[in-house]
Structures are given as structure tokens and as C-alpha cells.
Amino acid sequence: MSAEPSLGEFDLIRRFFTRPGPAADGGGVLLGVGDDAAVLRVPAGADLIAAVDTIVEGRHFPVGSDPCSIGHRALAVNLSDVAAMGATPAWATLALTLPSAQPEWLEAFSAGLFALADQHGVALVGGDTSMGPLCISVQVLGFVPRGEALLRSGARNGDVIAVTGTLGDAAAGLALLQSAPKSASGETGSARHFLRQRFEYPTPRVSFGLAARGIASAAMDVSDGLAGDLSKFAAASALGAHVRVERLPLSAPLRAQATPAQALDWALSGGDDYELLLAAPPERVPQLAAAAAACGTALTVIGEFREADGVEWTLDGRPFTPARGGFEHFSRASTQFTV
Ligand code: ADP
Ligand code: MG
């Protein structure tokens, strides 16, 4: 641990969360950190988008996690929500509750947070700092042309269901972080490294969310596992859905490190994927796939929305029941780590 004495609240804010000069952001910050509140200007003709998510040590990430990853994830989970709205993220606030002010921890945490913020032109414009069990709330604010936000409720009967990237990697990565020593090398080592990275450094699909606006009918992000999240999506659109489980995109490292049944369970119910789930008319799939490819992500059609009650799952044409639903806090099954 550092030989430096613990920092005071105001030194801490100045040293780790205030950056000199104009922020590397997309503009609109009339007043950032330092006053009672930030003053922000939304572009003319835009709707303001707001999302907030909290991550708690021992609940959403293992005790003793790398602080750089914690900073990244705290922002990434919110950028994923903003991406799912087809919006441009612009500003963030940070409510940080810390058991103690350790400079080395704060240095790594803020490096993780600012690295991702800079990638997306997001400025940290305020926050709150207090002492207590480690808990981080980030709010992201963004904007979208008036009336054009991508909603969960926009899916139409006959729309396909498409998902970005691959599912289940983060749940596998979390299981590895909690169990396996990091000693494996060669192919096994690199597969495990990939899976751990998928948990520790999720990639919010911001550019694709923007590209999908105007092509897709509806979107949401997959944070609690496809099984639970798709049910919410279908219900929000007053539709049912059919998913062909054999089509779920599974990464090569996941297939290599898990049995087929375990891989499917993580893909359906593991959580922490932060991929986008979209509804689109079938004739727009090529356009949507091209937009995804331009953003460096795969897009896989896994089923379709239809007039029905609930979600039907089939595996190679036969009925299939996901072993678990999605993650819910306060439910009896909610003892795992997930956001
Ligand atoms: P107040 O008591 O008026 O809420 P604070 O003393 O909590 O003000 O915060 C002072 C300034 O520092 C405010 O502009 C606030 O937004 C900012 N701030 C506090 N904590 C953080 C943080 N962790 N990250 C970024 N800004 C912060
Ligand atoms: Mg305050």
C-alpha cells in the first residue's frame, strides 16, 4: 500500500477527478466540476437522455477487483444503456463511496474511467464523494434528435431479433476470476484471458447504437442475461418472441472453455454481456448487418418477434427451457455477482 497519508475529500476530487483545461469532450459543458452543480447545454432540437447504474463491491464485482476495471465498468454499463437508446453520450457524474482514500487505488480507478470516457468524448462534470462500503454510481447524460430515441416498445410483429457480438463470455470470465488461478499459458491462457477481459472491460456498443437508429425498430442492451432481458423486450412491445437457441452467437474461447450446456446457460442467463438486442423488419437486416460490420461488431439473427404470449425457445426445432431466468436483485436466486 502507499506510504502517502489518506487524502482529504477535496484533495481527492481535485487530484483524481478534475482535469485541467477544456475536457476532451463533444462540447456543451458550460460549467463542470467545482460549483454546486454542472451547467450543460443540449444541442438545439435534441432530447436529453439520462441513465444511472450502481455497482457494489461483492455484489457486481468480486472483492479486491482491479480498480482500473472497476472504473471502466462503472462507466461502461451506463454507456451501454445510452447506446441502446441510439443516443450520443456526452456527460457523466460520479457518486463514489469509498472505505478509504488510497491514492494508488484512485489513480487506477480514475485511469480506467477516463480512458473509456475519452474514447467516447464523455466529460466528467460532477459527482459526490463519501466514505462507506465500496459502491460506485455513474450517471451518463446524452442526447438524441428529438423524438428519435430507440425504445424497447417499438418492435413489430414479424421483426427479426438480432444481437451484437457474442453472449456468455462475461459470465464465464467472472467464473474464472472467482476460481481459476491466472497461471495457464498457451491457447488455454489466451482463451481465459479473453473471457476475463469480457467481464472486466466490456465494450459498450455506442457507435453501433447510433448507426442502428433509423434502421432498427427497437433496441435494448443485454445486461441481465438474454432469457430475462428478451422477455422484458417482448413485453414492452406487447409481443411474444421465438428464439432458435442453436443460433446464439458463442465465442470460440467460450466453446473451448465450457461444456456445450454450460456455455448455453451462460449465454442465456449469465448476465454482464452489454451487447445490444435489436428488432428490425427482415428486409432491413442487410443494412443493419453492414452498419454493425462498419462498427467492428458481428450481428446475428436469433429469432423473431410475433403475436404471442411470452418467449418460445427451441433448440434444433425441439422445445427448450432455459435453466434459469434473468438476474433479479432480491429474488431468491440472486446470490451471484452481476449487474
Ligand atoms: P456539494 O456539497 O455542493 O454537493 P461537493 O463538496 O460534494 O459539493 O463537491 C464539490 C464539487 O466537486 C462539485 O462540483 C461536485 O460535483 C464535484 N465532485 C464531488 N465528488 C466528485 C467526484 N467523485 N467526481 C467528480 N466530481 C466530484
Ligand atoms: Mg455533494
Side-chain angles (χ1 to χ4, degrees), residues 43-315:
D47 287 332
L48 179 67
I49 298 292
V52 64
D53 252 321
T54 298
I55 60 174
V56 177
E57 186 180 48
R59 186 78 198 165
H60 303 94
F61 56 89
V63 173
S65 289
D66 178 355
C68 184
S69 151
I70 300 171
H72 177 102
R73 291 186 84 242
L75 181 60
V77 300
N78 285 284
L79 290 175
S80 179
D81 282 323
V82 171
M85 304 303 290
T88 304
W91 312 294
T93 57
L94 166 67
L96 187 57
T97 306
L98 294 169
S100 65
Q102 296 293 337
E104 284 165 14
W105 191 96
L106 283 157
E107 187 80 54
F109 173 85
S110 67
L113 185 126
F114 280 123
L116 184 63
D118 289 348
Q119 263 179 44
H120 293 284
V122 168
L124 184 67
V125 296
D128 191 37
T129 307
S130 62
M131 208 164 105
L134 182 59
C135 171
I136 304 110
S137 283
V138 170
Q139 180 187 46
V140 171
L141 300 164
F143 50 83
V144 67
R146 195 164 291 167
E148 288 183 28
L150 263 179
L151 310 183
R152 292 183 184 185
S153 55
R156 298 284 166 263
N157 184 24
D159 277 357
V160 302
I161 304 165
V163 67
T164 58
T166 52
L167 298 172
D169 300 328
L174 176 58
L176 284 168
L177 282 165
Q178 292 177 282
S179 63
K182 289 192 181 176
S183 57
S185 58
E187 256 176 57
T188 298
S190 70
R192 290 184 177 178
H193 176 74
F194 169 87
L195 296 170
R196 281 193 298 263
Q197 291 280 114
R198 290 276 284 157
F199 177 81
E200 292 189 295
Y201 294 95
T203 305
R205 304 295 182 191
V206 175
S207 60
F208 177 61
L210 287 172
R213 197 180 69 217
I215 307 174
S217 343
M220 78 178 290
D221 76 324
V222 192
S223 55
D224 295 337
L226 179 70
D229 286 342
L230 181 60
S231 300
K232 292 181 210 161
F233 195 172
S237 292
L239 288 170
H242 174 211
V243 175
R244 291 174 172 81
V245 171
E246 69 278 7
R247 293 198 185 170
L248 297 188
L250 306 181
S251 70
L254 180 64
R255 288 176 194 272
Q257 293 294 311
T259 62
Q262 177 68 84
L264 267 191
D265 183 57
W266 275 328
L268 286 163
S269 313
D272 294 318
D273 293 306
Y274 302 107
E275 296 294 348
L276 292 187
L277 195 59
L278 305 112
E283 66 276 13
R284 292 202 185 160
V285 170
Q287 199 187 347
L288 203 58
C295 297
T297 181
L299 187 79
T300 308
V301 172
I302 59 169
E304 58 278 327
F305 288 98
R306 61 188 191 188
E307 300 276 3
D309 269 342
V311 180
E312 182 194 354
W313 306 85
T314 59
L315 179 61

Side-chain angles (χ1 to χ4, degrees), residues 9-10 13 17 33-36 94 96 124 126-129:
E9 178 185 336
F10 298 106
I13 297 166
F17 300 110
V33 171
D35 213 306
D36 292 309
L94 166 67
L96 187 57
L124 184 67
D128 191 37
T129 307

